[in-house]
């Protein structure tokens, strides 16, 4: 997307012509693209547009020509999201879309190299091929890059494009004269209420919290049980969306780097309130701001580096900052490494650089059949030496990192104790990922590694309850990867009891205690190829949950190999098409994430 600030004319109309409308459509499984679509609609409404925000499937039969259509879409494992499937299928048909004006914001993660931006790119291509005209060029927002910066640039560019094409030349915005001597706001509730309202979160009480792994085990995993407020329900495999908080040590470190006093009180008021701004409705201390409202561990973006270079009073440091691209350090680490920046940035500049803190999603590991009033989480603490993948090295060749990096979300949940309050909401999972414990005769194959076991623990609990009630179930096997049977076989006693009851057949794989060639789950799938193939032949549905950068690709390759082994003459292309067919039929479903 072209930098709208440099492209913007000297004088644009302040508003669009009366009656101008804009349609905002999203393809979103877990709400990110839906929120971005609503954010873009807010921007359009601010310049006078009548706006509407809907899922893409609401327009699977055609697109309007009387208003620009702004599409915010993501790929999910290379396919459209649940609310965009019908639209994507319709778009592949032949249509005359001349007269349609559109813009596409694609959201993804470059860690998924094979499918990164696949769906939004295809939507953009098919719209153009069908005769629709672009209001803006497609933008690609990368969750592992400058996601916030890209969305902001697209938002600004959209505002400019709307005013250029639909602006009312007679619209002006004179400064209104104040009608009273004072403006008074009555504040009610708590200091995080505005933030919780922004993300539709409610306070929930932690009732249990303890380590699932053996004492002293390096790769710590934690159990957290949360009581649901009255009226809040969930279904097996749903997610709990949790607002984290930055660790006090990190907050202190950030304040030192920035040269600010943690006890200073700030009255922050957005000059133009928007959904991607910091959500505060009262004065806050710097400590509160850095703890609850901003990300402190995101990697520096190119745009942030340029802003830091412009603000740096030291010429050598300014030159070094201007040359940074794709830097793995955080904003705090960059400022620590460029001491001339300490105290050089005022608060408006800092708030422009800092990204608002965002909630994290965790698969619920419990079943409402067991306890409808509580949800359980399995949390793997992300903890490693700072900058474990950094290409930056000192003159002596030593990786340049400071201390230990802890994941913001997992680090927060690793510290909560019974009686603590967390701000959270139940987020429904994709319907395709729900495992029916009692219906149908299709076998079930569940494949997980680490805390990817979470949704399957709930599904196994459902099956255990069904067996106890006398139900006869189709076979279910659970491939589960962990390190060692005495260190991180999560919920081992409970799962073995479920196996003894006939609810599931457990197939663990221990990386630190391999059985022959079986070290990871994909190895055990390969070792039991005949049984897995027989289950597939009986119509089995396969569910995969866990690390998407290593485990999930390994499992996919194991299934492609399985097909080639049992299909004479099949090559890699045929195996890929077979697996794609399982995915399209809903018989191979992934709920995976990028590790780190």
């Amino acid at each position: 997307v072209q930098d709208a600030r440099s492209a913007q004319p000297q004088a644009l109309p302040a508003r669009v012509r009366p009656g101008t409308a804009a349609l905002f459509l999203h393809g979103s499984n877990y709400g990110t693209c839906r929120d971005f679509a609503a954010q873009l609609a807010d921007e359009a409404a601010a310049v006078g547009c009548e706006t509407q925000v809907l899922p893409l499937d609401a327009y699977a039969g055609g697109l309007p020509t009387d208003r620009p259509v702004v599409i915010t879409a993501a790929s999910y494992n290379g396919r459209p999201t649940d609310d965009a499937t019908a639209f994507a299928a319709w778009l592949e048909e032949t249509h005359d879309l001349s007269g349609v004006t559109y813009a596409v914001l694609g959201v993804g993660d470059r860690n998924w190299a094979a499918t990164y931006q696949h769906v939004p790119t295809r939507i953009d291509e098919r719209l153009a091929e069908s005769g629709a005209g672009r209001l803006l060029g497609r933008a690609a927002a990368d969750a592992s890059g400058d996601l916030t910066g890209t969305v902001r640039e697209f938002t600004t560019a959209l505002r400019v494009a709307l005013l250029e094409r639909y602006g009312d030349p007679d619209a002006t915005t004179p400064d209104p004269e104040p009608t009273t001597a004072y403006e008074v706001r009555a504040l009610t509730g708590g200091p995080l209420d505005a933030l919780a309202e922004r993300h539709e979160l409610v306070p929930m009480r932690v009732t249990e919290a303890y380590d699932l792994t053996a004492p002293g085990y390096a790769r710590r995993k934690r159990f957290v049980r949360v009581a649901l407020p009255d009226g809040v329900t969930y279904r097996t495999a749903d997610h709990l969306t949790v607002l984290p908080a930055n660790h006090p040590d990190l907050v202190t470190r950030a304040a030192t780097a920035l040269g600010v006093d943690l006890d200073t009180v700030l009255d922050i008021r957005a000059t133009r309130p928007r959904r991607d701004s910091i959500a505060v409705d009262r004065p806050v201390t710097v400590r509160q701001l850095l703890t609850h409202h901003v990300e402190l561990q995101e990697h520096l973006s190119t745009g942030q580096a340029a802003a830091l270079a412009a603000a740096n009073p030291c010429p050598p440091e300014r030159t070094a900052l201007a040359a940074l691209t794709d830097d793995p350090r955080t904003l705090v680490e960059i400022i620590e490494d460029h001491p001339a920046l300490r105290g050089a940035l005022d608060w408006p500049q800092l708030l422009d650089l800092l990204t608002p803190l965002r909630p994290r999603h965790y698969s619920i590991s419990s079943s409402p059949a067991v306890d409808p009033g509580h949800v359980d989480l399995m949390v793997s603490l992300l903890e490693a030496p700072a900058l474990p993948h950094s290409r930056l090295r000192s003159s002596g060749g030593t990786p340049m990192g400071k201390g230990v990096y802890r994941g913001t979300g997992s680090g927060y949940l690793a510290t909560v104790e019974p009686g603590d309050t967390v701000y959270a909401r139940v987020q429904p999972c994709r319907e395709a990922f729900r495992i029916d414990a009692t219906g149908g005769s299709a076998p079930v194959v569940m494949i997980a590694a680490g805390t990817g076991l979470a949704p399957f623990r709930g599904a196994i609990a459902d099956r255990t309850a069904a067996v106890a009630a006398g139900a006869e179930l189709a076979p279910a096997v659970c491939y589960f990867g962990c390190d060692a049977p005495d260190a991180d076989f999560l919920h081992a006693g409970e799962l073995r009891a479920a196996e003894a009851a006939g609810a599931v057949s457990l197939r663990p794989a221990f990386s630190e205690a391999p059985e022959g060639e079986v070290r990871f789950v994909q190895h055990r799938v390969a070792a039991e190829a005949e049984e897995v193939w027989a289950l597939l032949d009986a119509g089995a549905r396969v569910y995969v949950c866990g690390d998407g950068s290593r485990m999930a690709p390994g499992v996919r390759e194991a299934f492609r190999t399985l097909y080639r082994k049992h299909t004479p003459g099949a090559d890699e292309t045929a195996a890929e098409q077979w697996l794609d067919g399982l995915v399209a039929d809903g018989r191979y479903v992934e709920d995976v994430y990028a590790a780190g």
Side-chain angles (χ1 to χ4, degrees):
V1 178
Q2 184 182 12
D3 188 340
R5 288 169 294 186
S6 61
Q8 186 173 348
Q10 290 298 312
L12 280 174
R15 297 177 63 81
V16 297
R17 294 186 294 273
T20 301
L23 176 63
F24 295 84
L25 303 178
H26 57 77
S28 183
N29 274 340
Y30 295 119
T32 300
C33 287
R34 182 189 63 226
D35 290 345
F36 285 153
Q39 174 183 316
L40 293 167
D42 286 349
E43 189 74 11
V47 296
C49 285
E50 300 170 7
T51 63
Q52 191 175 22
V53 181
L54 291 167
L56 278 161
D57 279 355
Y59 279 81
L63 291 172
T65 58
D66 61 343
R67 49 192 156 151
V69 180
V70 181
I71 296 172
T72 307
S75 306
Y76 195 86
N77 301 325
R79 301 186 61 80
T81 53
D82 291 355
D83 59 356
T85 302
F87 177 85
W90 169 80
L91 196 57
E92 291 300 323
E93 301 168 357
T94 300
H95 303 287
D96 179 7
L97 300 181
S98 54
V100 172
T101 300
Y102 76 95
V104 175
L105 169 64
V107 179
D109 191 321
R110 66 186 178 207
N111 287 311
W112 309 88
T115 59
Y116 176 58
Q117 299 288 337
H118 177 79
V119 170
T121 299
R122 185 59 180 164
I123 289 175
D124 181 47
E125 291 173 347
R126 285 298 300 146
L127 287 172
E129 291 167 357
S130 302
R134 293 185 179 94
L135 179 67
L136 290 173
R138 179 178 60 87
D142 176 17
S144 289
D146 188 12
L147 176 69
T148 301
T150 302
V151 174
R152 283 178 176 173
E153 288 179 6
F154 185 83
T155 303
T156 302
L158 175 65
R159 178 187 180 92
V160 171
L162 290 172
L163 291 175
E164 285 179 339
R165 181 171 294 201
Y166 304 100
D168 181 353
D170 297 326
T172 58
T173 55
D175 295 332
E177 289 292 328
T179 57
T180 60
Y182 299 96
E183 179 182 324
V184 179
R185 295 181 301 146
L187 301 178
T188 59
L192 294 182
D193 283 4
L195 183 57
E197 183 180 4
R198 164 79 58 84
H199 298 293
E200 301 178 330
L201 308 174
V202 295
M204 300 185 184
R205 185 171 57 87
V206 176
T207 59
E208 294 183 52
Y210 55 83
D211 282 358
L212 289 167
T213 44
Y217 185 65
R219 298 172 65 177
R220 183 179 169 205
K221 299 175 179 68
R222 193 154 175 83
F223 174 88
V224 178
R225 175 166 289 167
V226 177
L228 295 177
D230 291 342
V232 176
T233 61
Y234 77 103
R235 296 170 63 191
T236 302
D238 281 347
H239 293 74
L240 193 70
T241 297
V242 180
L243 183 71
N246 289 309
H247 193 278
D249 291 347
L250 179 60
V251 169
T252 300
R253 177 181 172 184
T256 300
L258 296 171
V260 296
D261 183 347
L262 286 170
D263 294 322
T264 297
V265 178
L266 304 174
D267 187 11
I268 301 170
R269 303 189 187 189
T271 55
R272 194 154 49 88
R274 44 198 292 177
R275 289 174 190 256
D276 63 342
S277 62
I278 293 171
V280 292
D281 63 353
R282 67 198 65 212
V284 295
T285 65
V286 172
R287 189 186 308 276
Q288 291 172 319
L289 174 71
L290 297 182
T291 300
H292 298 292
H293 293 280
V294 295
E295 298 282 354
L296 295 179
Q297 299 200 98
E298 288 191 332
H299 291 171
L300 189 79
S301 70
T302 302
Q304 288 173 318
L308 291 176
N312 197 309
C314 172
E317 288 189 7
R318 187 163 58 245
T319 301
L321 285 167
L324 291 180
T325 57
D326 197 24
D327 196 290
R329 288 172 292 177
T330 66
L331 176 67
V332 172
E333 289 169 333
I334 287 288
I335 294 177
E336 287 175 335
D337 292 338
H338 299 80
L341 282 170
R342 189 174 187 272
L345 298 160
D346 60 25
W347 275 110
Q349 291 173 305
L350 285 173
L351 293 179
D352 274 342
L353 288 168
L354 294 167
T355 302
L357 190 66
R358 64 183 185 280
R360 270 64 170 174
H361 305 289
Y362 296 91
S363 293
I364 293 173
S365 71
S366 53
S367 161
V370 176
D371 185 352
H374 292 81
V375 295
D376 296 345
L377 302 179
M378 298 181 193
V379 182
S380 180
L381 176 60
L382 175 59
E383 187 172 73
L387 304 181
H389 306 297
S390 176
R391 296 185 300 273
L392 300 174
R393 294 184 176 271
S394 67
S395 58
T398 304
M400 293 173 61
K402 298 182 178 68
V404 174
Y405 172 89
R406 291 181 180 85
T408 300
S410 64
Y412 168 65
L413 288 176
T415 65
V416 298
E417 297 292 346
D420 288 348
T421 296
V422 297
Y423 285 84
R425 71 169 186 268
V426 171
Q427 177 72 40
C429 78
R430 301 166 57 216
E431 286 300 317
F433 202 77
R434 297 195 190 279
I435 301 174
D436 189 346
T438 58
S441 58
V444 174
V445 178
M446 297 171 276
I447 305 174
T451 52
L453 178 67
F456 301 148
R457 177 182 178 240
I460 291 170
D462 283 341
R463 290 178 61 88
T464 303
V467 168
E472 294 186 8
L473 305 181
V477 296
C478 180
Y479 290 90
F480 167 45
C482 53
D483 292 336
D486 58 350
D488 68 338
F489 194 147
L490 309 179
H491 296 287
E494 175 187 309
L495 294 176
R496 286 176 176 138
E499 184 175 42
V504 68
S505 177
L506 297 177
R507 308 296 171 85
F510 303 109
S511 61
E512 294 179 1
E515 299 177 8
E517 298 297 320
V518 176
R519 182 179 294 272
F520 301 115
V521 285
Q522 57 264 40
H523 300 152
R524 184 146 192 184
V525 169
E528 300 177 357
E530 297 303 322
E531 180 182 1
V532 175
W533 186 255
L535 291 170
L536 289 170
D537 195 47
R541 295 180 179 274
V542 181
Y543 301 86
V544 182
C545 186
D547 167 28
S549 60
R550 290 168 296 183
M551 184 274 288
V555 172
R556 279 186 168 234
E557 179 55 31
F559 273 81
R560 288 192 293 264
T561 301
L562 185 70
Y563 177 80
R564 293 196 301 268
K565 179 180 178 180
H566 289 84
T567 310
D571 59 9
E572 179 62 32
T573 300
E576 186 71 39
Q577 291 173 343
W578 168 78
L579 186 58
D580 286 346
L582 289 183
V583 172
D585 292 340
R587 292 186 54 202
Y588 190 99
V589 189
E590 294 173 313
D591 187 5
V592 294
Y593 48 84

